[in-house]
Amino acid sequence: MFSRLTHPSRTESSELDTEEQIDAFIDSRALVYPTKIEDEFVQRALNLGVDGGMILDVGTRVGLILLKMLWQNENFYAIGMDRSSMMIDRARETAAAWELAERAFFQVGDARKMRLKTGYFDLVISDSTLHVFDNPLSVLQEINRVLKPRGGLLIRDLRRPSRLQMQRAIEAHTSRYGIRMRPHIETALRAGFTRNEIDRLLRDSGLERIRVTEDESHLIIERTGESDPNSWIKAREQYL
């Protein structure tokens, strides 16, 4: 109840879906702060105890986090999913340029109802895209379904600032990501989550062994995992 008084209500946030918005997003990745927190996410995901297998990136956008993980660990294969066909086209282009197209597969899809096998993925990741869904609980439930019982998980999303902090947060993020990203930053921050909201979503999702932490701007959901000796990738290696 107190959170309702101190924080504005969540508003909907559309995904980046025009050429201009996507170009602004890609250009922002070259700046110091976005690169720093992106690389931190990659290292955090690689340190979750899973050393190979299949990764699913929910809301992969242009696929940079996924591709950085594959670049650093050749024992992973991956699927990146996004609702934007333009984002997926850019991700495929980057995978080809990095010579990772044989291990990185990108597809247009709705994370609220994934056309993927149950208990298939060794590691599921999602960076700052959960807030774009009108039903984030369905996304978390689907993640729980497709993730192996001992699989690793890393989700990071924006923490919604209080009413008093909102404008300051918008200005701070704009200085870090560039003026062209300001409209997206504002809608994303207003669509972010409070800790109580995330805790409620996780309780209803079915996900187990979850730890939630916070940094300056984000809520971080993670679960350590174990490598699966029966992974199809491990079996495949026997015949190479």
Side-chain angles (χ1 to χ4, degrees):
M1 173 62 102
F2 182 69
S3 178
R4 295 178 185 175
L5 296 175
T6 60
H7 288 74
S9 300
R10 283 194 69 224
T11 58
E12 291 188 12
S13 173
S14 61
E15 194 35 294
L16 300 164
D17 56 8
T18 69
E19 289 283 359
E20 183 178 354
Q21 290 171 336
I22 293 171
D23 286 341
F25 174 82
I26 293 172
D27 289 346
S28 75
R29 300 301 95 177
L31 300 176
V32 172
Y33 180 79
T35 298
K36 173 178 175 289
I37 66 166
E38 190 172 82
D39 290 345
E40 288 174 353
F41 186 94
V42 168
Q43 292 307 312
R44 193 163 189 152
L46 290 172
N47 290 333
L48 285 175
V50 181
D51 63 12
M54 282 297 300
I55 303 172
L56 172 65
D57 185 7
V58 177
T60 193
R61 291 180 171 148
V62 295
L64 291 178
I65 284 178
L66 198 61
L67 294 172
K68 287 181 178 182
M69 291 180 67
L70 297 187
W71 186 268
Q72 295 184 45
N73 187 330
E74 63 183 12
N75 296 317
F76 281 119
Y77 284 66
I79 293 175
M81 174 186 291
D82 201 278
R83 292 188 295 186
S84 167
S85 60
M86 286 189 287
M87 286 283 198
I88 291 298
D89 288 343
R90 297 292 186 95
R92 289 170 177 161
E93 291 171 3
T94 305
W98 289 19
E99 299 183 349
L100 290 172
E102 292 185 357
R103 291 197 288 132
F105 308 95
F106 294 98
Q107 65 181 52
V108 177
D110 186 345
R112 296 169 297 184
K113 193 173 182 179
M114 301 187 205
R115 300 176 64 181
L116 298 169
K117 292 181 180 179
T118 297
Y120 185 68
F121 292 93
D122 299 274
L123 179 59
V124 175
I125 62 173
S126 181
D127 185 28
S128 298
T129 59
L130 186 64
H131 68 268
V132 306
F133 292 96
D134 58 5
N135 186 356
L137 176 59
S138 65
V139 178
L140 293 174
Q141 289 172 330
E142 278 290 87
I143 287 174
N144 184 49
R145 181 182 67 80
V146 303
L147 183 60
K148 291 181 179 180
R150 304 302 298 179
L153 173 68
L154 182 60
I155 300 172
R156 179 173 65 183
D157 214 320
L158 291 165
R159 186 177 65 243
R160 189 165 77 255
S162 70
R163 298 177 192 277
L164 294 176
Q165 297 169 331
M166 180 64 74
Q167 197 58 39
R168 187 187 311 164
I170 292 170
E171 298 298 335
H173 278 70
T174 299
S175 69
R176 294 164 174 167
Y177 287 89
I179 191 65
R180 293 167 65 203
M181 287 290 291
R182 183 186 178 100
H184 179 70
I185 287 166
E186 181 165 358
T187 58
L189 284 170
R190 296 186 185 280
F193 301 95
T194 65
R195 175 63 183 267
N196 287 339
E197 289 167 346
I198 283 293
D199 286 342
R200 285 197 299 271
L201 287 169
L202 290 172
R203 279 197 301 269
D204 295 337
S205 71
L207 287 162
E208 299 177 344
R209 299 182 289 107
I210 295 297
R211 184 168 71 106
V212 180
T213 57
E214 304 179 31
D215 64 18
E216 179 187 359
S217 304
H218 303 88
L219 293 162
I220 301 164
I221 304 162
E222 63 185 330
R223 181 173 100 184
T224 55
E226 300 174 3
S227 298
D228 182 1
N230 298 314
S231 168
W232 72 267
I233 293 173
K234 296 291 184 183
R236 175 180 177 273
E237 290 172 353
Q238 299 175 21
Y239 302 99
L240 294 180

